[in-house]
Amino acid sequence: GMRRHQGDSKLAAMLTKGTVLAASLAVASAFQPTTLTGFQPKVRQAACGVTMEASGMQKAAAGLAALPLAFSLGAADANALTSADVRSLTYQQIKGTGLANRCPEVDVSSGDIELVKGTKYKITDLCLEPKSFQIEEEVVKKRTGETKKEFVDTKLMTRATYTLTGIEGPLFFDKDGSLTFLEKEGIDYAATTVQLPGGERVPFMFTVKDLEAKSSSPSGISAGTEFGGTFKVPSYRSGLFLDPKGRGGTTGYDMAQALPGMEADGVEGQEELFKETNKVFQVTDGTIEFAVNKVDPASGEFSGVFVSEQLSDTDMGSKAPKKVLLKGIIFGKVGQATGDESY
């Protein structure tokens, strides 16, 4: 028994050392998927200096605290992927790692992508990866008791399938001289669900469908170029979706109650019953702004940050939608139109 006890305390000591080490490593690789093959996406050494002292842990905590700040400044992410990194991986190396849900970023900015007026260009491989999901809520202030609307942080419930990618469309100088991008095709929507602090889940269709984004840039795309525009948000459900009572937009039952039941109360309940029964496919508007912070003229690639605002699911017209605020990174590639595009 005695010997085992000594062994236990040694083990405990080793474990505490191990946990400190593991914790500091975990901080370094918090946003870094490890792959099945053991391949690690490239991480700059600075991010992984592991120290056993408490100061190391403090530094790590400070680093985490600075993350939102670094993000807002568009600072280089320690585990940014470049398109070359992505191309160098096989399907097997990517499968199951979450890397397919990441947008690449331009490594080093060098110059501008110059565009000639009168030439037809296009943006391809446009990719949007949200890093923060917020929902507008009525928040009650503890001291004053007054309510005001603000965007609250949420917990993402969706698996690593919420990035938009492969989006493309024409890029041209409009009649008014503004550089314009029209979204035409690609994986341009992703059903996503987040959870509010109180536990309520909010589904929404993350999208940039029919985006028309304009920039005041006179000559092309460079670090600092900003685009802004509006897009359409389709209904979260299609007309074929049947609710638990078998009612749908284009199929299924018309109503779940008998007529006497429908008219029983004649006042408040009516509106709600009607909305539940009258399924509509609502299309709402969203807005997005994105700023380019890195450009590679040789490949035509650019990357930067975006902020987008749209509405959540209305459950086919029976619920009031909430405002969704998304912030994340954007990547795209500018090229000349070849003429065989479908747009």
Side-chain angles (χ1 to χ4, degrees), residues 124-299:
T124 56
D125 299 326
L126 188 70
C127 181
L128 290 93
E129 179 190 343
K131 301 264 191 186
S132 123
F133 303 80
Q134 291 174 307
I135 302 280
E136 188 180 60
E137 281 287 270
E138 294 260 331
V139 179
V140 182
K141 291 274 167 253
K142 283 217 176 75
R143 290 208 188 97
T144 55
E146 58 184 327
T147 63
K148 68 171 202 195
K149 287 186 171 174
E150 55 183 61
F151 283 99
V152 299
D153 291 331
T154 61
K155 181 178 167 200
L156 180 70
M157 304 311 289
T158 305
R159 296 170 21 171
T161 58
Y162 52 83
T163 290
L164 307 183
T165 187
I167 295 169
E168 58 179 277
L171 179 70
F172 55 90
F173 286 99
D174 209 351
K175 293 182 189 69
D176 59 4
S178 59
L179 187 58
T180 305
F181 167 67
L182 300 178
E183 190 273 337
K184 290 295 184 187
E185 57 190 43
I187 301 175
D188 56 9
Y189 65 96
T192 311
T193 301
V194 294
Q195 185 168 290
L196 291 170
E200 181 191 352
R201 293 192 178 175
V202 181
F204 63 95
M205 184 64 83
F206 172 40
T207 183
V208 288
K209 277 185 181 292
D210 292 345
L211 168 65
E212 181 177 335
K214 288 183 178 284
S215 170
S216 54
S217 169
S219 60
I221 295 178
S222 52
T225 301
E226 292 184 6
F227 281 86
T230 58
F231 55 88
K232 292 280 178 229
V233 184
S235 167
Y236 187 80
R237 302 282 187 201
S238 83
L240 295 175
F241 179 75
L242 295 183
D243 74 4
K245 292 179 176 166
R247 299 169 295 195
T250 52
T251 63
Y253 292 120
D254 270 352
M255 49 183 71
Q257 291 91 354
L259 279 173
M262 290 283 287
E263 288 159 12
D265 120 314
V267 213
E268 292 94 33
Q270 287 311 101
E271 177 81 3
E272 216 141 292
L273 280 176
F274 175 73
K275 279 184 178 168
E276 279 285 333
T277 299
N278 182 45
K279 306 287 185 193
V280 287
F281 187 96
Q282 283 177 318
V283 179
T284 53
D285 289 316
T287 59
I288 187 169
E289 286 183 18
F290 56 92
V292 174
N293 55 28
K294 285 190 178 165
V295 168
D296 177 11
S299 63

